[in-house]
Amino acid sequence: MNLSFTGFIIASLFLTVGHLPEKYHPAGNADKTFANFENVFLDSYWKQYPTGSIYSGYGKYYDELVIPDKSSFRNNLTFSKAWIDSLGKLDFQALNDNNKISFRIIKNQLESDIWYTAVFKPQEWDASMYNISGACDYIINQPYAPLDERLRILTRYLSHADDYFKATLGNLNRPVREYIYMSIMQNQGGLEVFGTALSDSINISHLSQPEKDQLEQNIRRAVKAIKEFAAALKKIDADKNYVFRSFRIGKKLFDQKFKYDIATDLTPEQVYRKAIADKNYYHKKMYVIANSLWTKYYGAQIKPKDSLQLVQLVLDKVQLNHAKSADFYDSLSSYIHQLKRFIIAKNLFDFDTTTPPIKVRLMPVYERGFSLASAEFTPAYQKQGTTYFNVDDVTLYPPEKAESALKEYNHYSAQLLAMHEGVPGHCLQGIYNNKKSPDVLRSVFTNGAMIEGWAVYSEGMMVENGWGNGAPEMELELGVWRLRELANVLVDYDLQCLNIPKEKIVHLLSKECFQTDAQVEEKYHRATVSQVQLCSYYTGATAIQKLRDEYKAKMGNRYSLKDFHEKFLSFGSSPVKYIREMMMQ
Ligand code: ZN
């Protein structure tokens, strides 16, 4: 979007606001002004970032592929600054609680956008941000319009695909090698979007022959541009004289990114120090449990002297208790139903049982390969859809991989997985976010630390309320999950800020956190192609737990766990820091 257009929108908005009749109550007036502001802002935002519009299911601007040249980034900065200015003209103090939160979410988003573009500059070093396949997949396959219309949008979207990829290469300046690999893999993998399924769709569509020809020509040009982009990246990778940037962003950038992404008052050091203390706490706790289980699994066999080794040996036995490949789907599906019954029986939520809003299904093919189970929501603007609990088809894994996955998600761990992804974790929170949160903004600019923190909080909360009937094995596996979550912080901070070498990371994960070799490799890789995101689980859960303690103290004998949950979730996927201010005022 160009500046004059933004200026026009803002000017016309305030004109409308200025002419509101006198009869409005002043407080309501501010909220009404804000509601108008938010609508106009979001529409402008999606026009500025059409790819974001596609993923949010907004329904407009899908055919606009922004060419990521230098002027587009300058444009984004101007856009953010203009909107921060107009936000500053609103009367924050006169807004109601929910609008205060929305105001701050918008402000944080705009400031974060500026920081990303002007300071962090991933456009220069992260080659994986250049990819059109995901957006095309959405344009083709989501049910927002009839097929013919979707294909026409695709035709227009792809008309400048070659310009798009030409511009990207001009932006790269000492890119990070790890992202080059990832970009090659993702761009090549993304070619599948333009394969036979698309050809079939074009064939059965009612487009005229010239329209079909144009679309097919645009697809061919786009495919060629993607292949050339991947080839250019391979050439950079093969160049022996090329000076790459390290994947480690350093403490200064990490601290700043932490502030914008997590939106918390805690510093990364504080979270890091707490994670180390908690690691020691869980080691002691798990040793006590493992020690009590020793005879059950090893009889009179002599115990090892090393306490962590003892824990590992007991875990080795506990993890043999797992479903068969063919039964894995049914077992997870049944946990979801049991969990729903449990939260009602224990009065933990006002959960609406009249409609079955969570559907357990086999993971769609295009989502496979990342995790055994996942939560899937309808895009922000499509309120009518279903929330899915996806379970991967383990019977399709090679036997060794299946065995390893089933041990990892053994009888106890699989229940924690169902809590984290399903109930009362991601699926349930997603439903509350859609159904109860006051505005769409909470589904659009979601806070990852709140979302992941909630899922992590859920695991412990359920066990604490009697799920698992006090089985020591359940407590032990919960310990493994806790260690994994806090190790995410340690690995992220160690690698990005403290220059810790890979050997130490491997030792931490395998010896101190009981992870398998495959898990360790996967985590290390993830920590080289992300920053701060790994901190979101532990940081979010810590903040929620702390808020619960404070809220309990504040409410005294009026406190109930259900009341805390309902209130907390009613603010949608907002930063815990903002929710805390509202709940504790
Ligand atoms: Zn999660």
Side-chain angles (χ1 to χ4, degrees):
M1 170 194 286
N2 60 42
L3 176 61
S4 58
F5 188 72
T6 314
F8 167 75
I9 293 269
I10 296 170
S12 61
L13 169 71
F14 280 95
L15 198 69
T16 320
V17 169
H19 284 85
L20 282 174
E22 287 299 302
K23 66 181 176 185
Y24 284 95
H25 184 269
N29 203 346
D31 289 317
K32 200 169 155 51
T33 305
F34 185 78
N36 288 336
F37 176 92
E38 191 182 298
N39 280 336
V40 181
F41 164 72
L42 282 172
D43 187 69
S44 309
Y45 197 85
W46 299 133
K47 189 151 176 34
Q48 184 73 12
Y49 299 103
T51 307
S53 167
I54 292 173
Y55 287 121
S56 301
Y58 185 56
K60 277 163 81 178
Y61 314 127
Y62 287 9
D63 50 1
E64 292 174 27
L65 174 62
V66 176
I67 309 301
D69 54 15
K70 302 246 173 352
S71 72
S72 75
F73 293 109
R74 276 199 301 273
N75 232 328
N76 290 345
L77 290 176
T78 311
F79 173 88
S80 302
K81 285 172 187 162
W83 277 102
I84 288 176
D85 283 351
S86 26
L87 203 54
K89 287 173 190 140
L90 297 174
D91 185 357
F92 176 78
Q93 290 307 335
L95 298 176
N96 68 30
D97 287 358
N98 266 306
N99 283 336
K100 275 189 177 134
I101 291 189
S102 297
F103 179 104
R104 297 176 71 182
I105 290 175
I106 295 175
K107 189 156 181 275
N108 186 60
Q109 183 65 35
L110 291 166
E111 287 171 352
S112 164
D113 288 345
I114 292 177
W115 178 80
Y116 268 84
T117 304
V119 181
F120 198 46
K121 297 184 181 168
Q123 67 269 23
E124 292 184 359
W125 50 263
D126 174 5
S128 76
M129 67 180 266
Y130 303 119
N131 189 320
I132 58 170
S133 320
C136 289
D137 187 27
Y138 191 103
I139 290 173
I140 300 161
N141 294 315
Q142 287 288 324
Y144 60 91
L147 175 66
D148 291 359
E149 179 55 19
R150 294 186 329 246
L151 293 175
R152 286 186 189 110
I153 289 174
L154 184 67
T155 305
R156 296 195 293 274
Y157 184 84
L158 289 177
S159 59
H160 301 294
D162 36 6
D163 293 337
Y164 173 94
F165 283 104
K166 247 175 244 148
T168 63
L169 288 170
N171 293 337
L172 292 180
N173 170 24
R174 290 185 56 221
V176 177
R177 201 169 206 163
E178 283 77 3
Y179 290 89
I180 298 242
Y181 294 140
M182 193 159 77
S183 184
I184 294 170
M185 197 187 74
Q186 291 177 343
N187 271 291
Q188 285 178 339
L191 289 172
E192 206 182 290
V193 171
F194 307 102
T196 27
L198 176 57
S199 308
D200 293 346
S201 297
I202 297 172
N203 283 336
I204 60 162
S205 75
H206 303 97
L207 298 190
S208 68
Q209 198 51 48
E211 283 181 314
K212 286 183 181 173
D213 293 345
Q214 184 64 57
L215 174 52
E216 272 158 4
Q217 190 194 334
N218 289 3
I219 291 170
R220 276 194 302 276
R221 285 213 333 252
V223 167
K224 184 165 169 277
I226 293 171
K227 285 181 177 166
E228 283 171 359
F229 178 61
L233 293 179
K234 282 181 188 165
K235 208 171 143 203
I236 293 176
D237 178 43
D239 185 347
K240 292 204 170 53
N241 298 316
Y242 205 90
V243 185
F244 292 96
R245 200 182 292 224
S246 165
F247 70 82
R248 299 173 199 262
I249 64 171
K251 188 169 158 19
K252 194 173 152 204
L253 286 175
F254 191 91
D255 283 359
Q256 293 169 352
K257 192 169 195 279
F258 192 88
K259 190 182 98 184
Y260 289 116
D261 289 2
I262 308 262
T264 169
D265 291 327
L266 294 168
T267 65
E269 285 99 326
Q270 287 170 323
V271 177
Y272 183 77
R273 277 201 298 271
K274 184 165 164 40
I276 290 177
D278 275 359
K279 185 182 73 175
N280 295 332
Y281 168 81
Y282 282 105
H283 279 170
K284 286 197 190 96
K285 184 173 177 180
M286 289 170 78
Y287 170 71
V288 172
I289 301 168
N291 198 35
S292 75
L293 285 169
W294 180 264
T295 321
K296 175 175 175 184
Y297 290 105
Y298 287 96
Q301 202 175 313
I302 308 261
K303 290 175 189 171
K305 284 207 175 66
D306 183 283
S307 61
L308 294 183
Q309 209 185 333
L310 184 141
V311 172
Q312 180 68 67
L313 286 171
V314 172
L315 280 173
D316 289 345
K317 295 285 187 188
V318 169
Q319 291 171 347
L320 291 176
N321 180 1
H322 62 71
K324 292 193 188 72
S325 294
D327 303 331
F328 188 70
Y329 175 87
D330 286 342
S331 69
L332 276 194
S333 178
S334 125
Y335 292 144
I336 292 293
H337 295 295
Q338 291 170 41
L339 286 163
K340 277 197 233 168
R341 283 203 296 274
F342 185 87
I343 62 169
I344 292 161
K346 294 274 177 172
N347 204 24
L348 301 175
F349 297 87
D350 267 333
F351 185 57
D352 177 9
T353 52
T354 52
T355 48
I358 299 169
K359 197 168 173 343
V360 184
R361 67 168 177 184
L362 272 178
M363 195 175 283
V365 179
Y366 57 87
E367 285 183 28
R368 288 184 188 163
F370 296 103
S371 62
L372 235 54
S374 64
E376 187 180 332
F377 312 108
T378 46
Y381 286 93
Q382 290 167 24
K383 296 272 174 195
Q384 298 312 315
T386 310
T387 301
Y388 292 107
F389 179 81
N390 296 320
V391 183
D392 203 0
D393 189 350
V394 186
T395 61
L396 300 176
Y397 288 17
E400 217 172 282
K401 189 184 167 196
E403 180 62 18
S404 162
L406 291 167
K407 267 191 201 162
E408 186 183 341
Y409 293 101
N410 56 71
H411 178 65
Y412 304 98
S413 181
Q415 297 173 46
L416 295 167
L417 180 67
M419 290 172 206
H420 181 105
E421 299 293 339
V423 181
H426 292 319
C427 287
L428 186 78
Q429 191 265 323
I431 288 168
Y432 271 71
N433 189 40
N434 261 4
K435 201 174 62 172
K436 297 207 172 175
S437 83
D439 74 57
V440 72
L441 197 79
R442 311 300 162 82
S443 314
V444 165
F445 301 128
T446 53
N447 180 267
M450 183 276 173
I451 293 173
E452 288 304 345
W454 172 261
V456 170
Y457 162 79
S458 297
E459 302 151 12
M461 184 273 292
M462 292 295 276
V463 174
E464 172 191 294
N465 279 281
W467 179 270
N469 300 316
E473 285 89 346
M474 182 56 98
E475 288 279 354
L476 198 61
E477 270 300 326
L478 182 62
V480 175
W481 278 62
R482 286 288 175 265
L483 287 173
R484 184 169 76 190
E485 290 143 6
L486 66 86
N488 283 346
V489 172
L490 303 180
V491 171
D492 199 11
Y493 197 77
D494 277 347
L495 278 179
Q496 298 293 339
C497 304
L498 302 181
N499 247 343
I500 301 289
K502 184 175 179 181
E503 309 85 78
K504 289 208 168 158
I505 301 293
V506 171
H507 183 272
L508 166 76
L509 292 174
S510 61
K511 300 295 177 225
E512 297 187 56
C513 301
F514 314 108
Q515 301 196 12
T516 63
D517 291 351
Q519 282 178 289
V520 172
E521 270 311 312
E522 195 193 307
K523 188 55 56 71
Y524 180 80
H525 170 71
R526 187 169 154 193
T528 62
V529 290
S530 71
Q531 321 80 20
V532 176
Q533 196 277 333
L534 280 171
C535 292
S536 57
Y537 305 79
Y538 178 76
T539 311
T542 303
I544 295 171
Q545 191 65 48
K546 185 165 166 275
L547 171 57
R548 193 178 82 176
D549 294 344
E550 290 172 336
Y551 187 73
K552 191 173 176 181
K554 175 189 154 180
M555 298 305 283
N557 50 22
R558 284 175 301 143
Y559 170 84
S560 82
L561 191 52
K562 176 158 103 177
D563 167 57
F564 171 74
H565 289 156
E566 289 294 325
K567 196 151 221 152
F568 180 79
L569 291 178
S570 75
F571 293 99
S573 308
S574 317
V576 179
K577 172 180 151 176
Y578 303 162
I579 300 177
R580 179 181 173 277
E581 284 171 24
M582 295 304 140
M583 288 180 73
M584 294 307 295
Q585 63 181 232

